[in-house]
DNA sequence: CTGAATCCCCTAGGATACTG
DNA sequence: CAGTATCCTAGGGGATTCAG
């Protein structure tokens, strides 16, 4: 896994402390992962990748149970990170549309594997959980 | 993106409410994504995929700044979901080792694309943020 | 319609201390 | 060494209201 470069801790005594990596890079990777790997970002990414440019309300409907607060928040972050473009049409009532940038699309592609994995392994996860819980109880 | 099957909202009026999908599947996919896409799960997955079976303390050191509480929690969830195997060696002092299952490995592979993406786009994200913040301020 | 702002609850998650 | 248990706080995130 190529991300090793970001946390190349390599060989060190098993001390329980923070790693020796450039704290700069470390922090940034963590931040990016923490941001980008969040549930709503993934879903918005997926929706926009599949359905193309969408306006706010429609995006909310397509995203299954997101609150408007979280959707706004997520979209702002994604806009700031250069993942989506926000287009305001100066009409009344207001019309605002969101679409993925090239970078956004590339991230959506990167996440594609995770989506397919989740679909493919839902059943096995449920089984594993049941087994684990049973073993724990019995 | 194949996850469409899980949230096939298709064509519906732009009403802001919960989608028409099987709430069962919907909830499960969201749960799995929410669990599996979390930061520490991704990191532990990455570390175990790269360094192979590791014991608790070493795993903590390799994971860069995780608290032992979060690490324990993450490992328990992953064990329950069948992503890792926990092996207790009956010696003193205690020795417990964790390794990925086949399913764990497959998930690690699925996340590989996201890691490489994050690495490759760190600089562009920083630039985008700076630009966004500048525009907002100016 | 889009979204900012406010209120508020609740849990994620850190620090610390204690066991086997 | 590998946890579990406890305490505690910042912030995630829902509901509601207001504005352009």
């Amino acid at each position: 896994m190529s991300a090793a470069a970001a946390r190349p801790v390599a060989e060190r005594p098993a001390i329980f402390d923070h790693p020796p990596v450039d704290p700069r890079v470390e922090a940034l990777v963590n931040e990016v992962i923490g941001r980008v790997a969040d549930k709503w970002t993934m879903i918005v990414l997926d929706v926009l990748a599949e359905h193309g440019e969408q306006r706010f309300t429609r995006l909310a409907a397509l995203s299954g149970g997101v609150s408007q607060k979280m959707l706004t928040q997520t979209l702002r972050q994604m806009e700031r990170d250069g993942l989506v473009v926000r287009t305001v049409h100066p009409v009344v009532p207001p019309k605002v549309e969101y679409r993925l940038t090239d970078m956004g699309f590339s991230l959506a592609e990167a996440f594609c594997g995770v989506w397919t994995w989740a679909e493919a392994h839902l059943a096995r996860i449920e089984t594993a959980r049941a087994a684990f819980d049973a073993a724990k109880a019995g």
Side-chain angles (χ1 to χ4, degrees), chain A:
Chain A
M1 210 158 285
S2 60
R7 289 177 292 94
V9 190
E11 292 309 310
R12 297 174 64 248
I15 300 172
F16 191 102
D17 61 359
H18 292 200
V21 228
D22 288 320
R24 310 286 183 181
V25 186
E26 171 75 22
L28 238 148
V29 170
N30 276 348
E31 189 193 352
V32 170
I33 291 296
R35 150 105 31 105
V36 128
D38 112 291
K39 177 182 164 183
W40 295 124
T41 301
M42 281 188 64
I43 291 185
V44 168
L45 226 37
D46 187 41
V47 168
L48 288 181
E50 279 181 44
H51 301 265
E53 191 170 32
Q54 297 292 328
R55 52 196 299 185
F56 186 84
T57 307
R58 177 115 179 102
L59 195 43
L62 291 169
S63 298
V66 66
S67 70
Q68 129 273 56
K69 177 183 176 179
M70 287 316 297
L71 183 55
T72 300
Q73 200 171 102
T74 301
L75 286 170
R76 285 295 164 284
Q77 288 177 337
M78 294 176 72
E79 189 191 358
R80 187 168 109 101
D81 287 346
L83 300 176
V84 303
V85 175
R86 178 173 178 267
T87 310
V88 182
H89 297 80
V91 298
V92 42
K95 179 175 179 178
V96 180
E97 293 193 308
Y98 296 89
R99 64 182 162 77
L100 293 185
T101 62
D102 288 348
M103 190 155 72
F105 267 111
S106 70
L107 180 56
E109 276 180 53
F111 269 123
C112 189
V114 182
W115 282 111
T116 55
W117 185 95
E119 281 187 287
H121 294 80
L122 268 182
R124 285 182 64 181
I125 287 182
E126 284 191 286
T127 304
R129 284 186 193 173
F132 183 85
D133 294 343
K136 187 174 162 186

